[in-house]
Amino acid sequence: MYQSFIGLEVHIHLLTKTKVFCGCRSAFGDEPNTNVCPVCMGYPGVLPSLNIEAMRMGCMVARALNCTIPEKTWFERKQYFYPDMTKNYQISQFASPLGQRGYADIEGRNGTRTIKKRVRIKECHLEEDAGKMIHTGTVSLLDYNRAGVSLLEIVTEPDMETGEEAELFIQQLRRTVRYLGVCDGNMEEGSLRADANVSINLPGRGLGKKVEIKNLNSSRFVRLGLNYEIARQGELLDAGKAVTQETRLWNENRDETQPMRQKENAQDYRYFPEPDLPVFSPDPEFLKSVEEGLVELPLPRAKRLRDEYGLSEEQADLVCEEKAQADYFEEAVAAAVERGLPRGDAAGRIVKWLLQDIKHILGREGIETRNIASFKAGPARLASLVALNAGGKVSGKNARQALEAALDEDKDPELVIRERGWELISDPARIALAVQEVYSAEKPVFAELRAAAENGGLPAKRRQTLTAFLVGKVLAATGGRADPKIAGSQIEALIRGQ
Ligand code: ADP
Ligand code: ZN
Ligand code: MG
C-alpha cells in the first residue's frame, strides 16, 4: 500500500462589479470582447489601479480559511507567453500573498466514507484572470472579456489523501464562498476551477513525484481524476517504474487522465514586483470592513442547527446548503415560537415543510433555493400555517391547500383558511351530526364493529381499517374539516353503544 498526498489549487472568480485593475465590467456571458480597455489589454503606458473591493473579498475568504493577513501585501508580475494574455505577464502575488498559513476543517460523508480532517491552507493570492480561447477545429478564437477579472487562488498543503476528501473540500469551499457572497461557485461557467496535485509514495517516505491534473470543472471530476491517478501511479510503482512529474488533463469522455505537458522543474516565471502598483498595507478601517463581511460558515451553522433545534445531521446539512435557506428556516422557527410553539416542535415541523412541500413548490415554480427570499410564502407565512396546524386549527391536508392558494392569491395563508372556512371543526355537536349521517349510511360496518366489540372476534388490523374508513367518511362529509381525533372518539363511542 502506498501513502497518497493531494494538494489543491482552487481559483475563484470574485463577484466584483468591475475587473481587478481597471474599470471594465466583470460579467459572464457578455458579447465577446466588449468588456475590454487599454489597461486590461496591456497597451504600453497604461497604469493599473487596484480594485479595493477585490482585495476586501479576497481577504474575507482568507479570514474564513483562518489565514493571516500580512501587514504588507503586494503584487508581482508572473511572466509567460500565451495568446489569451496580451501583456505577456499576469499580475499576481508571490512573495507576500494577502492570506497566509490557514486551515479549513472538512467534515461529512462522501459516498461510504466518513471524513473529518483539517486541511492546511498554504496561501490565498489575488490575481487577474486571462482571456478565454475557444478552439474551433482549424482556428482558435479569443475572447478577452475575462482578461483582468478578479481571481483569487487558494492553495492547500498536500494534506488530503483520497479523491473523496478532495471532492468534499471543494464542495465545502464552494459553500463557504457562496455564504460570503464573494463568488457564485458556478463550476460549469468556470467561476470556480480546481487543479489537483497528487503523488504517492511508500509509507514514511514523504511526498512523491507530483502530477498535476488540470481541467477539472466539477467536484465529481476532481474525485474521479484523483482516484484514477492514485491507481495509475500505484500500478507504475508496482511494476518498478517511476512516476513522471507532469501535467495531465482529465478526459471526461474516457474517464481517464492523459498527459498534457511534462514539467521537469518548476517553470521559471521570473517573478518581480509589479512596479505600477503600490504595496498595500491594510489599515484598521479596511480590516474592520473585512471582519464585518464575515458570516457564520456552513459547517458551524449546520452544527448549531443540530444543537439548537434538534435537527438530524442530514436535515441540518440540507438546510445549510444555501445561506438563504438556513436564514429562512431560522426566521420561520422564530416566528412560530412567537406564536407559542415550543422551539423543538416548531423546528421539526418547519424543516419538514421546507424540505418537502416548499422544496417541491420551488422546483415547480423554477425558483432556485438560493433565491428563496423572493418566494411569496415567506417565513412568517409558513410559521402561521405551522402554528395553526400544530394547534389543531387546520388539518395537514388543508394547510397544504392553503399554502397553494396563498401563493396564487399572494395572501397570508391564515387569511385564506378563514376566508374559505378551512378551519378544523372541533365543535363536538357539529361533528356528531356528520357522524350520525355516516352511521345511517354505513350501518353494516358499524354492526360488524359492534359485534366484534362484544365478543372480541375481530383482528386488530381489520378493526383499525374499518374505524379509519369511518373517520374518513366523516372527514369527507365535512370537507376535510372535522377534527379527526374527535370524530374518531365519537365513532368509538357509537361502536361501544354509548
Ligand atoms: P508548483 O510550484 O509546482 O506550483 P507548489 O509548491 O506551488 O508547486 O504546490 C502546488 C500544489 O501542489 C499545492 O497545493 C501543494 O500542496 C501541492 N503539492 C506540492 N508538492 C506535492 C507533492 N509532491 N505531492 C502532492 N501534492 C503536492
Ligand atoms: Zn479593462
Ligand atoms: Mg504553484
Side-chain angles (χ1 to χ4, degrees), residues 281-293:
S281 311
D283 60 19
E285 200 186 326
F286 174 83
L287 292 172
K288 191 165 155 254
S289 78
V290 169
E291 297 302 322
E292 280 168 0

Side-chain angles (χ1 to χ4, degrees), residues 5 127 137 198 320 345:
F5 303 90
E127 58 191 24
V198 51
C320 289
D345 186 24

Side-chain angles (χ1 to χ4, degrees), residues 1-5 161 199-208 230:
M1 266 316 269
Y2 301 100
Q3 199 174 351
S4 44
F5 303 90
E161 291 166 274
S199 69
I200 65 169
N201 212 343
L202 289 168
R205 295 272 185 90
L207 300 171
I230 289 170

Side-chain angles (χ1 to χ4, degrees), residues 85-115:
M85 197 180 60
T86 58
K87 298 206 292 256
N88 289 341
Y89 62 84
Q90 176 194 29
I91 304 180
S92 182
Q93 296 198 289
F94 183 65
S96 184
L98 61 77
Q100 304 177 10
R101 290 180 312 278
Y103 62 86
D105 288 323
I106 55 168
E107 208 179 307
R109 245 188 286 273
N110 193 346
T112 53
R113 293 178 207 237
T114 303
I115 296 163

Side-chain angles (χ1 to χ4, degrees), residues 338-353:
E338 220 157 82
R339 285 167 156 266
L341 276 196
R343 182 147 75 165
D345 186 24
R349 290 169 183 274
I350 284 165
V351 77
K352 283 204 191 83
W353 276 91

Side-chain angles (χ1 to χ4, degrees), residues 19 22-24 36-37 39-40:
K19 294 184 179 181
C22 67
C24 287
V36 289
C37 76
V39 177
C40 51

Side-chain angles (χ1 to χ4, degrees), residues 418-453:
R418 226 180 303 131
E419 282 176 357
R420 312 243 169 137
W422 282 347
E423 297 107 329
L424 219 52
I425 301 169
S426 46
D427 173 4
R430 280 181 71 190
I431 295 174
L433 284 178
V435 170
Q436 274 307 325
E437 218 176 274
V438 173
Y439 179 67
S440 318
E442 305 290 346
K443 281 221 169 95
V445 181
F446 273 94
E448 185 180 351
L449 280 164
R450 193 172 276 170

